């Protein structure tokens, strides 16, 4: 990820869980935490998180951002422009995602979000899924009923793709990648 230009220095800002960010003419770099990107109807269309992800509010006037982690730390640039180059592997657009069959839709969403925001574990084949992105948010993102998402998650757990430990979900990224690769073909 490369930051191309900064017109001015930023200000560090903290937001609490459930805060809605809908400021125009500002750019944000997320230092820690997660937000859900919401369209005008309030539907989740994407997630953004730590790792200097760029949120350009001025270019998404019809969108707002809801803090879904306990706290969000950002650097805010009023009227500034920050350009971030990022390439994504095995990623499908939201429009394509919602046209997939249910199990494929959830698997693809888990893979994309896990690759973007997943935490490391002691095992290189496992990724810790971000707690802030819960089943309800996955349901909104995939345009499915939460009960349907729960059924698919249980099926993936039986298949050895997902592992639940207390309040965390771990994904076998190799198994999930194979599942997603078979979807793409």
């Amino acid at each position: 990820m490369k930051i191309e230009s900064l017109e001015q220095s930023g200000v560090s800002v903290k937001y609490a869980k459930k805060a809605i960010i809908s400021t125009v003419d500002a750019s944000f770099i997320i230092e820690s935490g997660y937000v859900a990107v919401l369209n005008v109807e309030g539907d989740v269309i994407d997630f953004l998180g730590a790792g200097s992800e760029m949120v350009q509010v001025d270019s998404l006037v019809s969108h707002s951002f809801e803090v879904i982690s306990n706290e969000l730390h950002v650097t805010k640039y009023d009227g500034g422009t920050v350009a971030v180059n990022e390439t994504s592997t095995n990623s499908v657009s939201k429009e394509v995602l919602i046209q997939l069959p249910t199990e494929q839709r959830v698997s693809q969403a888990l893979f994309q979000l896990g690759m973007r925001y997943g935490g490391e574990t002691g095992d290189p084949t496992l990724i810790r899924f971000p707690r802030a992105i819960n089943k309800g948010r996955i349901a909104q993102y995939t345009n499915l009923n939460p009960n349907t998402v729960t059924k698919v998650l249980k099926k993936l757990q039986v298949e050895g793709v997902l592992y639940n430990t207390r309040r965390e979900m771990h994904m076998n990224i190799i198994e999930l990648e194979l599942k997603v690769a078979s979807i793409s073909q």
Side-chain angles (χ1 to χ4, degrees), residues 65-124:
F65 303 87
E66 181 182 355
V67 179
I68 59 174
S69 53
N70 289 332
E71 200 171 58
L72 178 73
H73 297 259
V74 298
T75 303
K76 179 181 178 184
Y77 298 91
D78 288 326
T81 302
V82 180
V84 175
N85 291 339
E86 183 178 310
T87 56
S88 175
T89 58
N90 288 336
S91 180
V92 298
S93 70
K94 174 91 187 252
E95 294 79 23
V96 172
L97 181 71
I98 62 174
Q99 294 176 7
L100 294 173
T102 303
E103 185 177 342
Q104 294 174 347
R105 192 182 318 181
V106 173
S107 297
Q108 182 68 41
L110 289 173
F111 181 76
Q112 284 180 212
L113 296 170
M115 292 304 290
R116 284 169 62 188
Y117 307 119
E120 291 185 13
T121 64
D123 184 341

Side-chain angles (χ1 to χ4, degrees), residues 121 126-129 161-163 165 168-172:
T121 64
L126 293 179
I127 290 179
R128 182 177 35 261
F129 197 76
V161 175
L162 298 180
Y163 304 94
T165 57
E168 291 186 343
M169 182 169 66
H170 293 83
M171 301 182 302
N172 181 326

Side-chain angles (χ1 to χ4, degrees), residues 7-19:
E7 292 180 3
Q8 59 186 342
S9 61
V11 177
S12 182
V13 181
K14 291 182 185 178
Y15 293 95
K17 188 172 190 167
K18 297 194 184 252

Side-chain angles (χ1 to χ4, degrees), residues 27-43:
S27 298
F28 297 84
I29 295 178
I30 300 173
E31 304 300 336
S32 67
Y34 298 94
V35 295
V37 181
L38 308 172
N39 64 14
V40 177
E41 292 83 29
D43 299 326

